[in-house]
C-alpha cells in the first residue's frame, strides 16, 4: 500500500521512532526537496533545452527581456517533482488533506504543462484558451471544495484575522468560496511569474508561513490557546509545506537572476493552487490576502489596468502586471525582485502576528 513508505517505520522499527515527530519529518521533507532539486535540476534543464522548450519573449514588453529569449522554460516540472517525492516519502499518506493538496498540485500542473507544451514545443502561440484553462481549474478546485464540505467535522465557516468572533457560516456556498480562493491564488501566482525569482521567492515564504499555521491548526491545544480553528489532521500538511519551501529554494538556485530556467505555467499554476488549498484546509482563507499580498497586488494591477483601459481609454500603469511598470520606470530587475521579497517577509510577519491579535 502507498502509505507503507517512511512514516510507518516509526511504529515498526525502533531505530526510526523519530519518524513519528511531525517537526522532524517536516524538516527532512524540506531537505529532501532540496536534494532532489540539486540532483535532477541540471538534467531537467538539459532535457528542456533538447525539447527546444524555450521562453517566447513578448515584443511589447520591456526591452531588457529580449536577452532572455531562448532560456528554457517549463522548469516547474522540477518544482513539482521536488514537492511530490518528499511528500510521498515523509507524510502520512492516509491523511485525506495530503491527497487533496496533491490533487490540486498534479491537476493544475497538468493544465500548465499542456498549455506550455503547446506554446513552446508545438509552437502554437495560443496554447490552451483562457476558457479551457479556467474550466479545468474550476473543475478541480470545485471538486476539492465539495469533498471538504462533505468531510465529517470540516467547518464551512470563514474566519477573519484580528476578529476572533467574526466567523460567518457560509453553508453550501462555502464550496464556491473555496473554489474562488484556490483558482484566484493559482492565477495570481501565474501573473507574478514575470521576473527571475520574483514568484518562487514569495511562494517559498508563503509556504513557510502556512507550514506554521498547518502545524498549529492540527494541534488541539495550540489552536485552542491561540484561538484559531482546530482542523484535525491538518498538521500533516506541514510536511507538504516543508517540501514546498525546499523545492522553492532548490528551484531558486537555477531561477535566480540571471535565470537558467523559467518555471512556466506548469509551475506557477499548481504552486498558487497549492497555497489556496492550504489556506482553505487550515481555515485561513482571508489570511492569504495578507500573506500573499504581493500576488494580490500583481493580480489587482492587471484587473485595474484592463478595466481602466476598457472604460476610460487610459492606462493606470506603464505596463501590467505592476513589476513591469517599475521596470519601465528604470528600476533594475534584481532590485524589484529583492524588494518584492522584502515586502513578502513583512507581510508574512504581519500574518503571523495575527496569532496573538484575536
Amino acid at each position: 500500500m502507498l502509505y507503507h513508505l517512511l512514516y510507518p517505520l516509526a511504529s515498526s522499527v525502533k531505530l526510526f521512532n523519530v519518524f513519528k515527530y511531525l517537526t522532524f519529518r517536516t524538516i527532512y521533507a524540506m531537505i529532501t526537496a532540496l536534494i532532489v532539486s540539486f540532483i535532477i535540476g541540471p538534467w531537467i534543464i538539459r532535457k528542456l533545452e533538447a525539447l527546444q522548450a524555450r521562453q517566447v519573449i513578448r515584443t511589447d514588453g520591456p526591452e531588457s527581456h529580449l536577452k532572455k529569449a531562448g532560456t528554457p522554460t517549463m522548469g516547474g516540472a522540477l518544482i513539482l517533482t521536488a514537492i511530490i517525492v518528499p511528500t510521498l516519502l515523509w507524510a502520512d499518506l492516509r491523511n485525506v488533506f495530503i491527497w487533496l493538496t496533491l490533487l490540486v498540485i498534479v491537476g493544475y500542473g497538468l493544465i500548465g504543462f499542456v498549455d506550455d507544451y503547446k506554446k513552446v514545443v508545438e509552437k502554437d502561440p495560443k496554447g490552451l484558451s483562457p476558457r479551457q484553462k479556467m474550466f479545468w481549474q474550476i473543475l478541480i478546485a470545485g471538486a476539492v471544495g465539495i469533498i471538504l464540505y462533505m468531510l465529517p467535522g470540516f467547518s464551512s465557516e470563514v474566519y477573519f484575522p484580528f476578529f476572533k468572533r467574526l466567523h460567518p457560516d457560509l453553508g453550501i456556498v462555502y464550496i464556491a468560496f473555496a473554489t474562488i480562493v484556490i483558482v484566484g491564488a493559482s492565477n495570481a501566482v501565474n501573473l507574478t511569474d514575470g521576473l527571475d525569482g520574483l514568484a518562487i521567492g514569495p511562494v517559498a515564504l508563503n509556504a513557510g508561513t502556512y507550514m506554521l499555521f498547518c502545524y498549529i491548526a492540527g494541534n488541539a491545544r495550540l489552536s485552542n490557546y491561540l484561538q484559531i480553528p482546530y482542523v484535525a489532521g491538518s498538521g500533516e500538511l506541514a510536511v507538504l509545506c516543508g517540501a514546498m519551501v525546499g523545492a522553492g529554494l532548490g528551484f531558486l538556485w537555477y531561477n535566480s537572476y540571471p535565470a537558467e530556467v523559467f518555471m512556466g505555467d506548469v509551475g506557477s499554476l499548481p504552486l498558487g493552487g497549492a497555497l489556496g488549498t492550504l489556506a482553505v484546509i487550515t481555515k485561513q482563507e482571508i489570511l492569504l490576502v495578507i500573506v500573499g499580498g504581493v500576488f494580490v497586488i500583481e493580480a489587482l494591477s492587471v484587473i485595474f489596468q484592463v478595466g481602466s483601459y476598457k472604460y476610460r481609454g487610459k492606462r493606470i500603469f506603464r505596463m501590467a502586471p505592476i513589476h513591469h511598470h517599475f521596470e519601465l520606470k528604470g528600476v533594475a530587475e534584481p532590485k524589484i525582485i529583492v524588494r518584492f521579497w522584502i515586502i513578502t517577509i513583512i507581510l508574512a510577519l504581519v500574518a503571523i502576528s495575527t496569532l496573538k491579535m484575536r
Side-chain angles (χ1 to χ4, degrees):
M1 293 179 69
L2 277 176
Y3 67 80
H4 286 299
L5 293 174
L6 292 180
Y7 176 70
L9 294 177
S11 56
S12 58
V13 182
K14 190 174 182 180
L15 178 64
F16 299 115
N17 186 54
V18 70
F19 285 7
K20 71 181 181 181
Y21 296 109
L22 182 58
T23 48
F24 178 88
R25 290 184 289 115
T26 299
I27 291 169
Y28 275 86
M30 193 183 305
I31 293 172
T32 304
L34 274 168
I35 292 172
V36 169
S37 299
F38 293 150
I39 290 175
I40 69 171
W43 178 80
I44 284 184
I45 292 172
R46 287 197 300 271
K47 286 295 181 182
L48 291 173
E49 289 176 336
L51 280 171
Q52 298 292 308
R54 301 184 183 278
Q55 182 71 27
V56 178
I57 304 299
R58 291 168 51 183
T59 54
D60 60 340
E63 275 189 42
S64 59
H65 285 216
L66 296 177
K67 63 184 178 184
K68 299 183 181 186
T71 303
T73 188
M74 298 177 67
L78 167 60
I79 305 173
L80 300 194
T81 305
I83 291 173
I84 294 169
V85 170
T87 300
L88 294 178
L89 285 174
W90 294 104
D92 180 359
L93 300 184
R94 294 166 292 185
N95 186 294
V96 65
F97 296 137
I98 291 291
W99 287 110
L100 285 177
T101 311
L102 286 178
L103 169 65
V104 172
I105 290 173
V106 174
Y108 278 38
L110 287 173
I111 296 169
F113 176 82
V114 172
D115 187 43
D116 285 340
Y117 192 86
K118 283 178 172 291
K119 287 178 180 177
V120 301
V121 178
E122 296 182 351
K123 309 304 179 186
D124 177 3
K126 294 182 180 179
L128 282 178
S129 70
R131 284 189 178 183
Q132 288 175 314
K133 285 200 287 188
M134 189 61 68
F135 170 79
W136 289 109
Q137 284 180 286
I138 291 173
L139 184 68
I140 295 169
V144 170
I146 292 170
I147 293 169
L148 288 174
Y149 181 74
M150 297 177 65
L151 207 61
F154 192 83
S155 172
S156 56
E157 294 179 314
V158 176
Y159 291 77
F160 288 79
F162 307 109
F163 302 97
K164 64 181 179 181
R165 292 185 178 85
L166 183 60
H167 44 88
D169 192 337
L170 300 185
I172 197 168
V173 177
Y174 185 80
I175 296 172
F177 176 72
T179 302
I180 291 170
V181 171
I182 295 170
V183 173
S186 174
N187 287 290
V189 173
N190 181 244
L191 289 170
T192 306
D193 182 32
L195 302 180
D196 302 355
L198 179 62
I200 196 62
V203 163
L205 289 165
N206 277 221
T209 304
Y210 271 99
M211 179 169 63
L212 175 64
F213 278 90
C214 287
Y215 182 82
I216 295 172
N219 186 297
R221 286 194 300 176
L222 276 176
S223 59
N224 181 61
Y225 172 70
L226 293 169
Q227 298 184 4
I228 69 170
Y230 169 61
V231 185
S234 62
E236 197 63 29
L237 284 171
V239 177
L240 189 146
C241 289
M244 283 184 67
V245 173
L249 295 176
F251 183 71
L252 189 58
W253 185 270
Y254 308 103
N255 185 237
S256 57
Y257 183 87
E260 299 173 55
V261 64
F262 301 132
M263 70 169 73
D265 284 7
V266 68
S268 59
L269 290 179
L271 288 174
L275 290 175
T277 307
L278 292 169
V280 168
I281 292 174
T282 57
K283 311 304 301 172
Q284 300 297 329
E285 305 95 339
I286 306 300
L287 193 77
L288 186 58
V289 177
I290 300 174
V291 184
V294 163
F295 303 130
V296 173
I297 292 168
E298 292 274 25
L300 288 176
S301 71
V302 174
I303 294 170
F304 291 155
Q305 181 86 325
V306 172
S308 177
Y309 188 75
K310 183 176 180 180
Y311 296 106
R312 298 170 59 241
K314 297 179 181 179
R315 292 182 174 87
I316 300 174
F317 308 104
R318 294 189 179 184
M319 189 176 181
I322 198 169
H323 56 260
H324 290 318
H325 171 77
F326 292 118
E327 275 190 289
L328 293 177
K329 288 189 71 175
V331 183
E333 181 174 342
K335 184 167 287 189
I336 297 170
I337 295 163
V338 173
R339 284 178 175 175
F340 275 47
W341 290 353
I342 292 171
I343 292 169
T344 302
I345 292 170
I346 294 169
L347 293 173
L349 293 174
V350 171
I352 293 170
S353 74
T354 66
L355 289 170
K356 298 297 290 183
M357 300 171 67
R358 292 173 186 262

